[in-house]
Amino acid sequence: MIHVVGVLTDSPVWRYTEVLAIGLLVAYAVVSGLPTPRWAVPAALAVLMLDAVRTMPADRAEGRGWQVLRPDTSGVDRLAGAEAGLAICWASLTAVAILLAVWHRHPRRRRTTVATALAAAVITGYTVIRISAIWLILAADHRDHPTGADLAGSVIAVSLAVLPPLGLGLAALALATALAGHRRWLASAGAALLAVTALPHVDAAIRAVPLPLYVGDPLAWSAAYAIASTPSTPYPVTALITLLELTAYLLLVTGLTNLHPPTPTARTEADQSRR
């Protein structure tokens, strides 16, 4: 919570709070009892720890520097958004991929599969709508000003930008389905919550694409104006995303570890009740 407040106010109390939070999750997982295979959860958390170290807030003693902005004369940077999307999602996506590789085999449950398909349709549909809205705005301007913005380059840049967060959303939903099949309901809820964060990550990746100012941020679910910022709380959306991610990681670790693993007899009874 201290880390979330620091993000909200853009004034971190201690720059190592996120690293400490992930470290506490690692300690909790080890003490509570790691599931088989025992390397999976620590490996996923190690990736998150690496990203937490990489994104630590700058030391206040270092002060602030200057940033020089120059007009772009080389056209649209088609990889700018993709690089931003990867920077945002790579750790979560890698952690989900590790856990999914271990728990991908699971009994099929019709209700869970249907719910996952609907959620995947929502995430994919939102992404397609965002791309389409931007394409329509650019196409309308291109008809009036044929020598204006690079239509094809901009659409390609936006399409590449949304791939990492879209991959995170779909992979997290697949993990939620797999964990539900293993009756890891708490961990499944954490994976589903992590899938929700893919929507604002889509918006963030699109905003990293150097689009013309008149495009704005159409249909953005988590645009900066969705939750009003104030001088004392300039980053409410970012703080909310951070809170969702940390909660998702906590649910995943809590749901995948167990202080009292089930005995062989209990597992046999559970298997028979399933039949």
Side-chain angles (χ1 to χ4, degrees):
M1 186 58 70
I2 296 176
H3 175 61
V4 174
V5 173
V7 173
L8 176 65
T9 60
D10 194 26
S11 180
V13 178
W14 189 46
R15 60 194 297 249
Y16 301 99
T17 50
E18 186 179 12
V19 176
L20 176 61
I22 302 299
L24 290 176
L25 285 179
V26 174
Y28 175 83
V30 173
V31 171
S32 298
L34 295 171
T36 304
R38 297 177 61 84
W39 59 266
V41 173
L45 291 175
V47 175
L48 299 177
M49 176 73 77
L50 178 62
D51 187 60
V53 172
R54 184 185 67 86
T55 57
M56 276 195 307
D59 191 348
R60 294 180 181 179
E62 295 178 1
R64 299 182 181 274
W66 288 90
Q67 183 180 13
V68 180
L69 300 179
R70 296 184 176 88
D72 183 15
T73 58
S74 59
V76 177
D77 184 357
R78 300 185 178 185
L79 297 179
E83 293 172 355
L86 282 174
I88 295 170
C89 300
W90 77 270
S92 300
L93 184 56
T94 303
V96 168
I98 292 173
L99 298 178
L100 186 58
V102 173
W103 280 284
H104 67 282
R105 295 182 179 179
H106 60 90
R108 297 284 181 180
R109 300 179 185 277
R110 184 175 180 181
R111 292 182 179 178
T112 305
T113 303
V114 171
T116 302
L118 291 175
V122 170
I123 295 176
T124 305
Y126 176 76
T127 305
V128 172
I129 290 174
R130 293 283 280 120
I131 297 173
S132 301
I134 293 173
W135 176 78
L136 289 174
I137 294 175
L138 291 174
D141 180 76
H142 189 72
R143 287 193 297 268
D144 298 333
H145 307 88
T147 59
D150 181 5
L151 175 60
S154 298
V155 174
I156 292 174
V158 172
S159 301
L160 293 176
V162 301
L163 290 180
L166 178 60
L168 171 62
L170 298 180
L173 287 176
L175 178 61
T177 304
L179 293 174
H182 289 284
R183 294 184 178 273
R184 299 274 188 172
W185 303 112
L186 198 60
S188 178
L193 190 61
L194 194 59
V196 174
T197 65
L199 296 176
H201 287 335
V202 166
D203 297 334
I206 290 177
R207 284 196 294 272
V209 178
L211 295 171
L213 292 177
Y214 60 82
V215 173
D217 206 4
L219 304 178
W221 176 78
S222 65
Y225 51 78
I227 302 177
S229 60
T230 65
S232 58
T233 57
Y235 298 112
V237 175
T238 305
L240 178 60
I241 298 169
T242 302
L243 178 61
L244 290 177
E245 288 180 336
L246 291 178
T247 304
Y249 299 149
L250 177 61
L251 291 176
L252 275 169
V253 173
T254 305
L256 289 175
T257 55
N258 196 346
L259 283 171
H260 303 287
T263 61
T265 303
R267 284 197 296 266
T268 302
E269 293 177 353
D271 291 338
Q272 291 176 351
S273 65
R274 256 184 249 158
R275 295 173 189 169

